[in-house]
Amino acid sequence: MKKIIYFLISVFFVFSAPSCEQEDYSDINITHDTEEKVTKEFVGDLDSQIIIKDMDGALVNEIDMGKTFFVIDNTEGNSDTSEWVITKGDETITSKEQMVRLNFSNPGVATVKLTSTRSSDGKTTSSETTVAINSVPVKSRFITDPVADAETVAIYTSNSISFTDTSEGSPTQFNWVFEGPETLTSTEQNPVMTFMEPGIYNVTLTATRDDGDEGISEDTIEKIGFIKVEQLVVELIRAVATDSKIELQFTQPIAQDIPAGASSEFSITINTKNGAILTPDIVSIEATGEKTVELVFSDKMYSDDEVLISFNPTGILKDATGNYVPEMITDEPCVYGHNLWSGTDTEDESKFALSTNSSGSGFFKFVDENSPELPMEPYQGRSCIGFIRGDDKIGLSVMQGYTVAEGDVVVLAYEGKRIENVAGALERRMSATMASGGNDANGNWSSANSNGGDNEWITVTKTINVSADTNGVTGELFLTFFRYGGNSDTAALWIDNLRIYKPNPRP
């Protein structure tokens, strides 16, 4: 009976025990050591894979020269070390990064070799592939600083232009030619060129790339009349006399380290109201801004004086380039500097506007001698204001007020010039409201054709007693010019150097 029982037990174990061939040990945790568990999970072989992608993430096996692409270690089997050797011609690139950024400037074939290693067990695997670098033809292009206005870059003599090559196709050789009154050349990729001779210049850029056995790629771009160089002239724009100082405003930057001897190039004459002629000494000279120079003299200007400045250049005062001196000036009148309109002048168009009660076809323009409408050389500075009265009235409002108190005496002054009989008047109105064109603060004074010299600049002044001449109004007032009368298509009136100040007569 025992033998039968032992036999049955043996049969049970034989048929119930699993086969060794069917057993899967991969899910059995035979240790509590995590590192050992990971090691046991990755004991398979490595399968080396190289992925090549462009900047858009697309898989590629060829790419245009000059474009960036990436080689990526995508080895299966959990490798943790990458070693790259990339060769193209004589160029060799090595890296231990998992992803390598590449960019080749010449055509050819790049060979990419990758060795991947799994440090846990030292297993390695290698693979190799190639990337075709396609040839791209050279296309010449360039940009400039200063930037071209339309199709031209305009500068003054002795100024420079920076040329930046933006050619396609990765050229390595550059030949620039600047042909005009003088011919300049350069083989730099991004030259900075200084032009000393005025005139029109053509610019030619030939960009070249030598591809060795595959030949040469070359392209030329030519821009006719691309550079306009004007003769730099350092002119005085305006002279403003305030007390014992004169500020000279020039058209071009002035050398900031002015030698003291430069004061000898200037002379000052003061014509007083009672007929005296004074010639004060110049005490000092210094640059007070990029384009401004200040003279200090040994007297003082008063509101009823005529101060004249002269400059006889001997080469001491120069522009910022050191190549030019300001032009000679003789007896240039100085504007009285005490102006209740701080900074207001016909240079700043933002401080003037059409009055709200203007009507008809009249207009005003900010002009100079080259303007298509109402051209006129300003009395001083770079612009003046021209008026045409059409079939009704035109008002020009000063968008900055001036403040007066009871008992103040102020002088409104400007330079005026006319051609033909303007058949009307330039009426001056004052109001407590900006740009209204109202006359609630009086000011309806005018006289036909006396508001500008007949084809010559004259100084026009009007003394205002506050508050007898302002309808009792004090505080901040605003001025509007109104142009009335006349219907000629050619008659015109101009004003310049508008100012209002408290008189300070010479004692």
Side-chain angles (χ1 to χ4, degrees):
M1 187 64 180
K2 288 183 179 179
K3 290 182 178 181
I4 295 174
I5 294 173
Y6 286 137
F7 174 77
L8 292 175
I9 292 174
S10 299
V11 172
F12 172 78
F13 277 107
V14 168
F15 286 99
S16 63
S19 168
C20 291
E21 295 180 357
Q22 296 176 340
E23 183 63 69
D24 183 4
Y25 294 96
S26 61
D27 294 330
I28 300 177
N29 185 3
I30 61 174
T31 176
H32 294 292
D33 188 288
T34 304
E35 293 185 3
E36 185 176 347
K37 176 185 177 181
V38 172
T39 300
K40 290 182 179 294
E41 287 179 350
F42 305 136
V43 294
D45 290 334
L46 298 177
D47 182 12
S48 180
Q49 292 187 19
I50 299 173
I51 291 179
I52 303 172
K53 291 187 175 184
D54 62 14
M55 288 289 288
D56 295 326
L59 294 173
V60 296
N61 57 17
E62 63 177 357
I63 196 154
D64 291 343
M65 53 175 286
K67 290 191 174 181
T68 298
F69 64 100
F70 303 88
V71 291
I72 305 167
D73 181 356
N74 196 44
T75 298
E76 295 182 355
N78 291 278
S79 63
D80 51 15
T81 302
S82 305
E83 292 188 16
W84 298 90
V85 178
I86 301 114
T87 57
K88 179 182 170 295
D90 297 332
E91 184 177 4
T92 299
I93 300 170
T94 61
S95 176
K96 292 187 177 182
E97 299 294 328
Q98 190 261 341
M99 180 174 67
V100 183
R101 179 188 180 111
L102 298 171
N103 189 310
F104 292 101
S105 59
N106 293 94
V109 176
T111 300
V112 180
K113 296 180 180 180
L114 169 65
T115 298
S116 302
T117 303
R118 186 170 59 208
S119 58
S120 62
D121 59 6
K123 280 194 174 184
T124 64
T125 184
S126 299
S127 59
E128 180 178 321
T129 189
T130 58
V131 182
I133 311 300
N134 300 326
S135 178
V136 174
V138 170
K139 184 68 175 178
S140 295
R141 288 189 173 90
F142 64 86
I143 58 175
T144 62
D145 183 15
V147 177
D149 179 10
E151 298 298 325
T152 305
V153 179
I155 62 168
Y156 289 105
T157 51
S158 79
N159 288 350
S160 299
I161 301 176
S162 297
F163 294 85
T164 301
D165 165 61
T166 58
S167 299
E168 298 176 0
S170 303
T172 56
Q173 297 177 345
F174 308 89
N175 184 28
W176 298 84
V177 178
F178 308 91
E179 186 177 6
E182 59 178 340
T183 299
L184 307 175
T185 62
S186 176
T187 56
E188 295 182 12
Q189 181 177 6
N190 303 311
V192 178
M193 307 303 296
T194 301
F195 298 85
M196 300 301 297
E197 297 295 328
I200 303 298
Y201 290 78
N202 303 329
V203 180
T204 302
L205 168 62
T206 300
T208 305
R209 185 188 71 240
D210 188 349
D211 293 338
D213 294 340
E214 298 190 22
I216 292 177
S217 181
E218 184 176 273
D219 187 50
T220 298
I221 183 173
E222 182 179 19
K223 296 189 177 184
I224 303 297
F226 184 66
I227 301 172
K228 180 181 179 181
V229 181
E230 296 184 24
Q231 179 64 51
L232 188 145
V233 178
V234 186
E235 295 179 298
L236 179 69
I237 295 176
R238 178 180 293 103
V240 181
T242 308
D243 300 328
S244 59
K245 297 179 181 180
I246 297 177
E247 182 184 76
L248 305 173
Q249 303 168 9
F250 291 97
T251 56
Q252 300 295 330
I254 298 296
Q256 297 297 289
D257 187 14
I258 301 176
S263 62
S264 64
E265 299 178 312
F266 292 89
S267 61
I268 298 174
T269 301
I270 300 177
N271 297 320
T272 69
K273 188 175 182 179
N274 62 13
I277 300 176
L278 309 176
T279 56
D281 295 330
I282 297 176
V283 177
S284 65
I285 181 172
E286 67 173 331
T288 54
E290 183 186 31
K291 298 180 182 180
T292 57
V293 173
E294 182 181 85
L295 301 176
V296 177
F297 57 96
S298 59
D299 205 307
K300 181 178 179 180
M301 179 191 186
Y302 296 86
S303 62
D304 56 355
D305 288 336
E306 180 187 45
V307 178
L308 307 175
I309 182 78
S310 296
F311 173 68
N312 184 24
T314 61
I316 303 176
L317 181 66
K318 294 183 178 181
D319 80 318
T321 70
N323 297 313
Y324 301 94
V325 299
E327 291 197 328
M328 176 183 292
I329 56 176
T330 302
D331 291 338
E332 180 73 18
C334 299
V335 176
Y336 185 54
H338 288 291
N339 191 351
L340 295 181
W341 282 309
S342 178
T344 296
D345 186 77
T346 44
E347 299 294 304
D348 187 355
E349 297 183 19
S350 67
K351 293 184 178 178
F352 298 86
L354 192 69
S355 171
T356 55
N357 59 353
S358 297
S359 61
S361 59
F363 64 90
F364 69 87
K365 294 282 186 180
F366 290 84
V367 298
D368 58 28
E369 62 271 31
N370 298 315
S371 299
E373 293 181 287
L374 303 176
M376 178 57 64
E377 181 178 359
Y379 177 78
Q380 280 193 335
R382 296 183 179 181
S383 64
C384 56
I385 303 174
F387 285 88
I388 284 290
R389 209 286 316 171
D391 54 8
D392 198 352
K393 59 184 178 181
I394 176 71
L396 173 67
S397 291
V398 182
M399 305 298 287
Q400 181 177 354
Y402 58 94
T403 301
V404 292
E406 181 66 40
D408 282 347
V409 177
V410 295
V411 174
L412 169 67
Y414 62 89
E415 270 64 50
K417 187 175 185 177
R418 63 179 173 85
I419 56 172
E420 299 185 20
N421 190 325
V422 294
L426 186 67
E427 180 178 298
R428 285 72 50 102
R429 292 185 175 186
M430 291 187 295
S431 173
T433 303
M434 179 191 299
S436 70
N439 60 355
D440 49 284
N442 207 347
N444 283 358
W445 58 88
S446 62
S447 55
N449 291 320
S450 65
N451 302 295
D454 186 3
N455 210 28
E456 65 176 355
W457 289 105
I458 64 170
T459 299
V460 179
T461 62
K462 172 65 178 180
T463 301
I464 304 169
N465 294 279
V466 182
S467 61
D469 294 331
T470 61
N471 279 346
V473 179
T474 59
E476 188 175 28
L477 302 181
F478 296 88
L479 179 75
T480 295
F481 284 101
F482 263 100
R483 182 73 182 86
Y484 281 102
N487 53 15
S488 169
D489 292 333
T490 55
L493 176 69
W494 295 267
I495 65 172
D496 200 2
N497 288 340
L498 180 62
R499 56 203 183 275
I500 189 166
Y501 58 87
K502 295 180 180 179
N504 179 29
R506 180 175 287 273

